[in-house]
Amino acid sequence: MQCIRRQPKRSVSQENLLLEQSRRVAALNGIRLGLKDDKDLKFLLKGSQLLKVKSSSWRKERFYKLQEDCKTIWQESKKMLRSPESQIFSIEDIRDVRSGHKTEGMEKYAKDVPEYRCFSIIFKDQRKNLDLIASSEDDANHWISGLGKIIAHSNSMNQKQKLQHWIHTCLRKADKNKDNKMSLKELKDFLKEVNIEVDDYHAKKIFQHCDKSKTEALEDDEIEEFYKILTERKEIDNIFQMYSDTEGFMSCQNLVRFLYEMQQEEDAVVAAPALIQRYEPNERAKRGNAMTKDGFLMYLLSDEGNIFNSSHRKVYQDMTQPLSHYLVSSSHNTYLMEDQITGPSSTEAYIRALTKGCRCVELDCWDGPNSEPVIYHGYTLTSKILFSDVIKAIKNYAFKTSPYPVIISLENHCSVDQQKVMAQHMTTILQDMLLVAPVDGNKSQFPSPEQLKGKILVKGKKLSRQEDPTNGNNNLEAEDVSDEDEAAEIEDESVKTEVQQKGKSDTLKLAKELSDTVVYCKSVHFEGFDDPSHPRAFYEMSSFSESKALKLAQESGNSFIHHNIRHLSRIYPAGWRTDSSNYNPVDLWNVGCQIVALNFQSAGTEMDVYQGRFQDNGFSGYVLKPEFLRDEQTKFNPKSITEGTWGTKKKLLLKIISGQQLPKVNKSKNSIVDPKVTIEIHGVQQDNNKKQTKVIENNGFNPKWDEEFTFDIEIPALALVRFVVEDFDMSTKNDFIGQYTLPFTSLKQGYRHIHLLTKNGDPYSSSTLFVYINIQDCD
């Protein structure tokens, strides 16, 4: 039997000293966050008992406390053999803190507790919400307000401050005996913590260089010296030296030259003085209208030094064109959190999709108990949620991220009575948000996103006697309409059996009340492209499975483009994607399909590209299609590109220079990443391409590549660029580290930082790539 070595017990004076050091570190981190002497922060650092709520029978008291790094929360656990790491979660992982009964869990299991004592922590990834009850209103307010302040202040820190905070946290973690000194062994542990492998010779060399006092331990100024060596950016120093004087200052005139020559900034003369005022930390340099190396680095790490054009972070496109002229961020089976067969349904899935900019959500509606319609994936074992709860969630979150219209795509399987309940819920809950009549009497074409701001549209079946939904209502009560049942297409044996047993009908009786909620988005079966002599009404729209849509794009690309100038098209994943995997949306955007619905809960290349496309135009969920996909005379066909007005061909010259603070993939102490970068072009077939750097071994902290690549881009308006960083593994599949995707037309030129995103699309706090971009017209 192996003996466990006991740690020597500390004396009372040692404990008090450590406690005082801990308080000092917490106070310093509070100052770094801009929260000096904040009452809420002090309360969180002290911690409190909270009731954790999991179900109607599971409600247990646990102690929660903000750690001294002001970045992580420690939570008490009664589970046996639980690792210390699993008792901690990072504030960076929190998406939202909601007061009251604002989650399904709180709504179901905490209705007996006053709202003012309840709050929920919502995480960025697929982790379950943390529902908590405080012992008093004051305690709840401290937690809600304190966490809110830390999140807001952390987000507003510049990259240099974030880096400093992170490194000092790692230094503290490596200081095992908490003596505020660093031995050679602790220095080596620290380097592993920040994801860099240094051999003993180099570690000792750095240590001896910093150990000016020759005490075999680094402290105070020596640790700061070590920090400077670690965070040195020689590649940026070299650029700075080209434009600075012998005293280490870059004059405003030289900054203008750099912005104009390297960064291709047209307004360099106006931009330069503003950048000095915004990013230069040295007051002497600022007064002399010059920039130091530190200010230059802060500019390059800022939004102005980002690869994504900062002017595209706001709505800049024309939003007054017909709705059919825009790509629309759209979700498939929005209610599902996981797979399509057995996974949970949740209102939380709607909230997540809407806050990610989604503008078209799907509701599969079935008869429920007590005359209340429910939403779930028909014929499957997915759980059920109330239709009314989903409509409430849509009302509360529809316009938090974007003011532009939301489309509710109804797949209706309900009886006439429960359809009437659906219509009543939408009318009473959504009230003025629900569009029930044409905008400004517009009956010949779609209104624009601008005209529909703040409105919710319903897509669904319409009674045939009300052939023109823009012409008001008649007195027909109900009649049979064709049924659209995507759930019945699922390629799963249990589903097929269920469909056969239920004896699926091709028609459905539709209630007039539900029919009346449909104004501009009438669902019809696709019978072929328009006969010019008998054009279909503009408000009729069809849904296509991915395979049917891709076949049309392949065989009739130009006809599909013309169809999509006047009509909306919705695309949904194939029935065999029971694991909620996604298809490539780019081929369907290339023929002008607007509502290309993906499974938002599934991370991967397809979702990365999707979010990359829709971060454009202010993350509004609407992106204007290029002119050649809106022009009624267009001859464009992505499958056979001929000469035309599709934009000038471009040559993309790209240099991957270095990486900074790449996260550890494997959390084990001795695991260091071996990063490599892949650059992908997603667009028309001729433009699709992929190139990759060499592998840098054992360095995720500051890997250097200095590799150049060239790409020819035939149709720039349809191209997206994706940068993927992976941890190379010789024997197994490479592990994903981070990625960033953006439209080619949103690329900024010159020396730029790429701020990497997690697999769920959330930003890392300080993980970046440093690149050089140059775009030229092709001859």
Side-chain angles (χ1 to χ4, degrees):
M1 181 178 168
Q2 189 178 359
C3 293
I4 298 170
R5 198 172 141 207
R6 288 183 178 276
Q7 290 289 331
K9 194 175 179 186
R10 295 189 185 107
S11 68
V12 173
S13 60
Q14 283 176 317
E15 288 290 351
N16 288 339
L17 184 65
L18 286 174
L19 194 60
E20 185 52 39
Q21 284 176 355
S22 177
R23 284 195 192 116
R24 276 209 307 272
V25 170
L28 184 63
N29 285 322
I31 291 166
R32 284 194 183 117
L33 280 168
L35 293 171
K36 184 183 178 184
D37 296 330
D38 184 85
K39 286 179 183 175
D40 294 321
L41 185 69
K42 284 181 176 177
F43 179 89
L44 267 57
L45 285 163
K46 191 178 170 187
S48 75
Q49 294 286 353
L50 296 168
L51 278 177
K52 185 176 177 180
V53 181
K54 279 190 176 179
S55 69
S56 52
S57 59
W58 201 104
R59 190 186 286 184
K60 295 182 181 176
E61 198 168 73
R62 295 286 184 264
F63 188 75
Y64 289 82
K65 178 186 180 299
L66 178 68
Q67 304 230 107
E68 63 192 27
D69 61 5
C70 295
K71 285 178 65 173
T72 49
I73 303 275
W74 180 84
Q75 52 186 338
E76 177 189 13
S77 175
K78 300 289 171 76
K79 285 183 183 173
M80 295 290 289
L81 303 176
R82 188 166 179 180
S83 69
E85 290 78 21
S86 65
Q87 288 182 253
I88 290 169
F89 63 85
S90 171
I91 283 177
E92 284 172 10
D93 295 337
I94 298 175
R95 185 181 299 285
D96 193 14
V97 182
R98 294 187 202 146
S99 59
H101 303 142
K102 299 268 175 52
T103 63
E104 279 179 305
M106 282 301 201
E107 191 73 35
K108 280 182 189 172
Y109 311 128
K111 275 293 195 183
D112 59 315
V113 181
E115 280 208 72
Y116 56 73
R117 282 176 50 205
C118 300
F119 67 99
S120 301
I121 293 173
I122 317 301
F123 293 101
K124 286 178 180 173
D125 50 26
Q126 302 298 323
R127 238 181 310 180
K128 288 180 180 173
N129 300 336
L130 184 55
D131 293 323
L132 299 164
I133 299 169
S135 57
S136 69
E137 183 176 4
D138 278 353
D139 281 12
N141 287 339
H142 279 309
W143 277 102
I144 296 161
S145 176
L147 288 172
K149 285 178 198 172
I150 296 169
I151 292 165
H153 284 257
S154 296
N155 290 342
S156 65
M157 285 168 94
N158 63 46
Q159 287 297 123
K160 195 171 180 186
Q161 288 169 324
K162 285 178 183 174
L163 173 61
Q164 194 176 21
H165 194 169
W166 176 65
I167 284 182
H168 280 281
T169 300
C170 293
L171 281 166
R172 182 95 178 134
K173 206 183 280 187
D175 182 13
K176 296 295 181 198
N177 61 359
K178 306 298 179 205
D179 61 356
N180 281 345
K181 296 176 185 178
M182 185 176 281
S183 66
L184 177 58
K185 184 184 183 305
E186 286 174 336
L187 179 134
K188 285 157 71 175
D189 286 346
F190 164 79
L191 290 171
K192 285 178 181 171
E193 186 68 41
V194 299
N195 210 358
I196 183 167
E197 182 78 75
V198 177
D199 62 42
D200 287 353
Y201 172 76
H202 280 99
K204 196 167 184 180
K205 200 172 169 186
I206 295 169
F207 186 84
Q208 287 172 343
H209 173 82
C210 297
D211 185 19
K212 309 282 192 223
S213 60
K214 308 296 179 197
T215 57
E216 296 297 314
L218 306 185
E219 50 188 313
D220 301 330
D221 291 346
E222 294 170 340
I223 290 176
E224 286 304 313
E225 175 70 15
F226 171 63
Y227 168 80
K228 278 178 187 166
I229 291 170
L230 197 65
T231 56
E232 200 171 32
R233 294 284 302 273
K234 284 183 181 169
E235 71 276 33
I236 288 177
D237 293 352
N238 294 337
I239 302 162
F240 182 79
Q241 281 166 11
M242 289 163 58
Y243 290 87
S244 61
D245 60 27
T246 51
E247 290 183 28
F249 291 103
M250 185 189 285
S251 68
C252 187
Q253 191 178 353
N254 280 348
L255 179 57
V256 168
R257 200 158 59 83
F258 169 77
L259 293 173
Y260 188 72
E261 291 172 0
M262 291 295 180
Q263 306 298 79
Q264 308 288 309
E265 299 284 8
E266 291 174 9
D267 62 345
V269 175
V270 177
L275 292 175
I276 290 168
Q277 291 307 308
R278 198 171 299 136
Y279 299 114
E280 179 50 56
N282 183 310
E283 286 302 322
R284 182 186 152 213
K286 203 185 273 191
R287 282 194 301 273
N289 205 17
M291 198 173 247
T292 61
K293 195 163 63 178
D294 280 349
F296 187 62
L297 174 59
M298 285 174 75
Y299 149 64
L300 286 173
L301 283 165
S302 75
D303 212 31
E304 276 100 343
N306 199 313
I307 192 171
F308 183 79
N309 188 333
S310 60
S311 69
H312 292 188
R313 291 197 195 285
K314 55 182 186 291
V315 174
Y316 69 95
Q317 295 177 342
D318 177 7
M319 300 302 280
T320 64
Q321 302 212 17
L323 201 63
S324 54
H325 286 193
Y326 298 83
L327 306 180
V328 184
S329 179
S330 307
S331 157
H332 169 250
N333 287 355
T334 314
Y335 47 89
L336 292 177
M337 298 286 280
E338 295 170 13
D339 66 74
Q340 305 282 311
I341 305 292
T342 60
S345 305
S346 172
T347 55
E348 196 60 48
Y350 287 90
I351 295 168
R352 287 182 183 183
L354 290 166
T355 52
K356 279 187 173 181
C358 179
R359 300 287 86 193
C360 179
V361 294
E362 188 177 358
L363 284 68
D364 284 2
C365 311
W366 299 78
D367 279 357
N370 307 316
S371 301
E372 281 293 339
V374 293
I375 290 173
Y376 83 112
H377 206 191
Y379 317 112
T380 71
L381 299 174
T382 57
S383 62
K384 298 171 183 177
I385 49 176
L386 288 174
F387 177 84
S388 60
D389 286 346
V390 169
I391 299 299
K392 284 173 194 165
I394 292 170
K395 179 193 176 178
N396 291 334
Y397 288 88
F399 305 111
K400 282 193 185 293
T401 301
S402 165
Y404 292 101
V406 167
I407 300 169
I408 291 177
S409 178
L410 289 182
E411 191 174 303
N412 166 31
H413 305 278
C414 291
S415 61
V416 169
D417 284 345
Q418 293 211 14
Q419 288 177 43
K420 290 177 181 177
V421 175
M422 285 165 62
Q424 185 183 3
H425 282 322
M426 286 195 286
T427 307
T428 55
I429 294 167
L430 299 177
Q431 298 179 342
D432 291 348
M433 287 182 180
L434 185 67
L435 188 81
V436 291
V439 175
D440 300 334
N442 193 342
K443 297 180 182 182
S444 58
Q445 66 173 12
F446 282 109
S448 69
E450 190 63 35
Q451 289 173 297
L452 292 167
K453 262 184 175 176
K455 289 294 181 187
I456 294 173
L457 286 67
V458 177
K459 170 202 162 286
K461 289 291 180 180
K462 193 83 181 159
L463 292 174
S464 60
R465 305 257 183 101
Q466 295 177 305
E467 200 55 50
D468 181 355
T470 64
N471 260 339
N473 308 324
N474 64 20
N475 296 320
L476 192 73
E477 286 306 313
E479 69 167 24
D480 287 344
V481 293
S482 61
D483 186 22
E484 290 184 357
D485 192 354
E486 290 169 21
E489 298 175 26
I490 292 179
E491 293 181 23
D492 179 84
E493 287 310 312
S494 61
V495 171
K496 287 177 181 174
T497 306
E498 187 76 12
V499 172
Q500 284 170 353
Q501 285 173 354
K502 287 194 174 177
K504 187 179 111 55
S505 168
D506 289 335
T507 60
L508 172 86
K509 201 168 277 296
L510 179 65
K512 175 183 177 295
E513 289 84 349
L514 192 59
S515 175
D516 287 347
T517 64
V518 177
V519 178
Y520 285 118
C521 301
K522 177 186 175 184
S523 295
V524 297
H525 280 295
F526 181 70
E527 305 288 354
F529 295 119
D530 273 359
D531 174 350
S533 58
H534 296 93
R536 273 169 44 186
F538 75 91
Y539 50 77
E540 292 187 348
M541 63 176 290
S542 301
S543 291
F544 306 85
S545 70
E546 65 176 272
S547 49
K548 174 75 184 288
L550 286 168
K551 190 168 186 286
L552 288 171
Q554 183 71 41
E555 296 174 1
S556 315
N558 186 253
S559 299
F560 211 171
I561 288 167
H562 278 273
H563 174 84
N564 288 326
I565 292 170
R566 196 157 176 268
H567 300 279
L568 290 173
S569 290
R570 176 178 164 271
I571 320 299
Y572 59 91
W576 57 265
R577 294 187 184 275
T578 55
D579 59 350
S580 295
S581 61
N582 280 313
Y583 56 98
N584 178 7
V586 177
D587 291 335
L588 298 158
W589 289 332
N590 290 347
V591 289
C593 295
Q594 304 88 346
I595 301 176
V596 181
L598 294 197
N599 294 305
F600 267 49
Q601 73 274 32
S602 299
T605 304
E606 298 79 13
M607 203 61 215
D608 293 343
V609 168
Y610 206 85
Q611 291 298 85
R613 169 56 74 199
F614 286 106
Q615 73 166 314
D616 193 9
N617 201 30
F619 199 53
S620 63
Y622 285 85
V623 171
L624 186 65
K625 294 193 271 189
E627 173 64 33
F628 55 83
L629 293 181
R630 296 179 276 125
D631 175 14
E632 305 236 349
Q633 308 305 315
T634 188
K635 300 279 197 297
F636 181 73
N637 184 347
K639 296 299 175 189
S640 58
I641 293 169
T642 54
E643 289 299 315
T645 55
W646 329 132
T648 310
K649 296 177 190 175
K650 301 287 183 185
K651 187 177 286 293
L652 172 62
L653 303 159
L654 201 154
K655 185 176 185 181
I656 305 290
I657 301 169
S658 60
Q660 293 77 40
Q661 291 88 60
L662 303 178
K664 279 192 169 197
V665 177
N666 183 334
K667 294 296 181 189
S668 92
K669 183 177 155 187
N670 293 313
S671 171
I672 310 292
V673 299
D674 303 322
K676 69 164 194 160
V677 182
T678 304
I679 307 106
E680 302 169 354
I681 307 294
H682 298 260
V684 295
Q685 203 165 342
Q686 291 96 311
D687 290 343
N688 291 340
N689 204 342
K690 183 189 288 191
K691 295 179 182 180
Q692 59 192 35
T693 66
K694 61 181 177 282
V695 176
I696 304 293
E697 291 187 359
N698 290 328
N699 188 350
F701 184 75
N702 55 5
K704 305 276 192 302
W705 288 280
D706 280 325
E707 290 187 63
E708 294 183 356
F709 303 93
T710 305
F711 297 90
D712 290 325
I713 311 291
E714 186 94 15
I715 311 290
L718 297 179
L720 295 108
V721 187
R722 181 172 183 251
F723 298 86
V724 194
V725 187
E726 293 176 306
D727 179 14
F728 177 75
D729 195 310
M730 189 84 74
S731 55
T732 60
K733 188 171 178 275
N734 295 338
D735 287 319
F736 174 90
I737 292 176
Q739 70 85 31
Y740 189 77
T741 309
L742 74 166
F744 180 85
T745 51
S746 294
L747 278 171
K748 289 289 277 184
Q749 297 192 65
Y751 289 101
R752 302 286 169 182
H753 277 98
I754 297 171
H755 295 260
L756 294 172
L757 305 177
T758 67
K759 71 173 191 289
N760 291 309
D762 297 305
Y764 285 114
S765 64
S766 53
S767 298
T768 52
L769 293 177
F770 187 51
V771 300
Y772 177 75
I773 306 277
N774 184 251
I775 298 169
Q776 300 171 357
D777 292 346
C778 283
D779 299 331

